């Protein structure tokens, strides 16, 4: 029996929440094969891209999600955060203005902008990146762990965890 798109998406979210990012990614990509502009699948795949420090890929996925459904606050939050990580503060501020026009709380989004900017300036990897690294290692996915560790060490050369 074939799954509906929504059932497949639910399985992807369950895998994602369980930390099985490879399975979640596989499911999200399968959804996108059928519906390339599915907003939730694009957004969730963007979250996985962020955890792997693939900021530009994430931005494209978040942008697609927003183009299809700009009424989901979390899509805006993820997109603005990714813009800050990509060191595009002007674009992030423009996105905050657009979200405000949609009726979202600009104060909350501005606070996110400030927090994301502060995190970027402290030069510390995200907890999500470190968690993903540990999950890959513990699951024996050494190739994925190595790729993520290399990405983290390039972005945060003074941080000791990825070097270990």
């Amino acid at each position: 029996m074939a799954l509906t798109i929504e059932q497949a998406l639910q399985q992807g979210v369950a895998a994602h929440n369980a930390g099985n990012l490879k399975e979640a990614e596989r499911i999200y990509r399968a959804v996108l094969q059928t519906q390339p502009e599915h907003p939730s699948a694009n957004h969730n795949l963007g979250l996985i891209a962020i955890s792997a420090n693939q900021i530009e890929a994430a931005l494209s996925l978040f942008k697609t999600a927003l183009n299809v459904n700009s009424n989901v606050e979390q899509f805006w939050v993820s997109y603005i955060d990714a813009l800050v990580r990509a060191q595009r503060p002007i674009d992030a501020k423009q996105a905050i203005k657009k979200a405000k026009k949609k009726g979202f709380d600009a104060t909350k989004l501005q606070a996110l902008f400030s927090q994301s900017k502060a995190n970027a300036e402290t030069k510390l990897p995200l907890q999500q990146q470190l968690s993903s690294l540990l999950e890959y290692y513990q699951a024996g996915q050494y190739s994925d762990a190595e790729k993520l560790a290399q990405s983290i060490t390039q972005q945060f050369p003074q941080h000791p965890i990825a070097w270990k």
Side-chain angles (χ1 to χ4, degrees):
M1 184 170 102
L3 295 176
T4 67
I5 293 293
E6 290 310 310
Q7 289 170 328
L9 191 61
Q10 288 174 356
Q11 286 186 350
V13 169
H16 198 157
N17 289 338
N20 188 348
L21 299 183
K22 276 202 175 284
E23 178 65 8
E25 180 179 355
R26 185 191 67 73
I27 293 169
Y28 297 147
R29 289 193 187 282
V31 169
L32 294 176
Q33 289 255 320
T34 305
Q35 291 184 8
E37 294 188 347
H38 191 285
S40 294
N42 274 288
H43 176 261
N44 294 349
L45 193 55
L47 294 176
I48 292 174
I50 285 285
S51 73
N53 201 32
Q54 298 170 344
I55 308 300
E56 291 303 319
L59 280 169
S60 175
L61 293 160
F62 294 149
K63 185 102 173 112
T64 300
L66 278 171
N67 286 340
V68 175
N69 186 355
S70 62
N71 296 320
V72 178
E73 185 176 34
Q74 187 58 50
F75 293 177
W76 286 102
V77 168
S78 298
Y79 182 60
I80 292 164
D81 181 55
L83 286 169
V84 173
R85 290 172 194 247
Q87 298 180 354
R88 293 170 48 186
I90 294 170
D91 293 336
K93 287 180 181 182
Q94 288 175 339
I96 290 170
K97 286 179 185 176
K98 287 180 184 177
K100 183 179 178 183
K101 286 181 183 176
K102 283 288 198 183
F104 296 112
D105 184 0
T107 306
K108 180 179 173 182
L109 294 171
Q110 190 64 42
L112 165 75
F113 173 78
S114 298
Q115 179 184 357
S116 295
K117 191 173 179 187
N119 287 347
E121 290 170 357
T122 60
K123 299 293 184 197
L124 293 175
L126 297 173
Q127 186 59 44
Q128 187 177 7
Q129 289 175 306
L130 298 175
S131 295
S132 294
L133 179 60
L134 181 61
E135 288 168 13
Y136 286 148
Y137 181 78
Q138 289 175 335
Q141 298 172 324
Y142 301 120
S143 176
D144 291 330
E146 180 182 8
K147 288 176 190 171
L148 182 53
Q150 287 175 342
S151 173
I152 293 170
T153 57
Q154 287 173 354
Q155 190 175 5
F156 308 101
Q158 302 303 316
H159 198 275
I161 297 295
W163 288 105
K164 291 180 182 181

